[in-house]
Amino acid sequence: MPKLQTVATTAVPSYRDYDQDLVAWALDNAGLLRAGRWSEIDAEHLAEELEDLGKSERRALGSYLRNLVTHLLKWQYQPGLRGASWRLTVLNARTAIRGILADSPSLVPEAARLLTKTYALARANAIGETGLPDPVFPASCPFTIDQVLADDYWPE
């Protein structure tokens, strides 16, 4: 593990290389943008990172939806095991999803599609975690996106 060092920050970017230190590169390019030094900006890598940011948010949304649906399935099909941990997992996932959608409203129309897309893995996770047989869980998602995100929705 590399030795951690305290690095003094300065107002003048040091123009670090994209492939060597992504965070430093991002800070350098942010400084260049703010200073209006357009010709010095690493435009190609900046464009790639902006595209990847959207992909990352979409992946995070899908991940939270998958985890949330896994727990809603467990909640519905194992009522005797319901507890504070499952409830907190569901509530925290709902909060995180709403945060992503508030920060990136362009993902709102994709949420229902991602719910459908991630259901197969959520179902597989629920089967694996509960030990219940496959036929217990519906083949397609039994929840709407509105139900999944509603704090007062708890499947019975």
Side-chain angles (χ1 to χ4, degrees):
M1 179 170 205
K3 184 178 177 184
L4 297 178
Q5 301 176 21
T6 303
V7 178
T9 58
T10 63
V12 179
S14 61
Y15 310 111
R16 284 161 283 225
D17 185 77
Y18 173 83
D19 293 320
Q20 298 198 357
D21 188 335
L22 179 62
V23 172
W25 169 89
L27 293 172
D28 291 347
N29 276 270
L32 293 170
L33 280 168
R34 287 189 182 92
R37 295 163 63 179
W38 313 114
S39 65
E40 298 173 56
I41 293 169
D42 183 356
E44 183 61 32
H45 285 122
L46 184 59
E48 287 177 24
E49 288 302 318
L50 290 173
E51 290 168 348
D52 286 348
L53 178 64
K55 292 176 190 174
S56 176
E57 288 298 295
R58 191 174 288 106
R59 280 191 300 269
L61 177 58
S63 178
Y64 280 114
L65 283 168
R66 182 184 67 247
N67 191 40
L68 173 55
V69 171
T70 298
H71 280 79
L72 289 176
L73 289 169
K74 290 174 13 177
W75 186 272
Q76 183 172 11
Y77 292 100
Q78 287 191 311
L81 298 178
R82 294 174 184 167
S85 175
W86 287 2
R87 180 176 293 277
L88 284 173
T89 298
V90 167
L91 293 175
N92 287 334
R94 286 174 170 159
T95 299
I97 291 167
R98 281 195 295 269
I100 291 170
L101 296 177
D103 289 344
S104 301
S106 63
L107 291 177
V108 170
E110 290 193 49
R113 184 187 65 77
L114 283 170
L115 175 63
T116 300
K117 183 179 176 182
T118 62
Y119 178 72
L121 186 51
R123 180 180 182 272
N125 289 345
I127 291 167
E129 289 184 29
T130 64
L132 295 172
D134 291 19
V136 168
F137 299 97
S140 61
C141 187
F143 315 119
T144 67
I145 193 66
D146 291 332
Q147 288 173 323
V148 166
L149 297 179
D151 280 338
D152 61 350
Y153 178 73
W154 297 93
E156 294 301 324

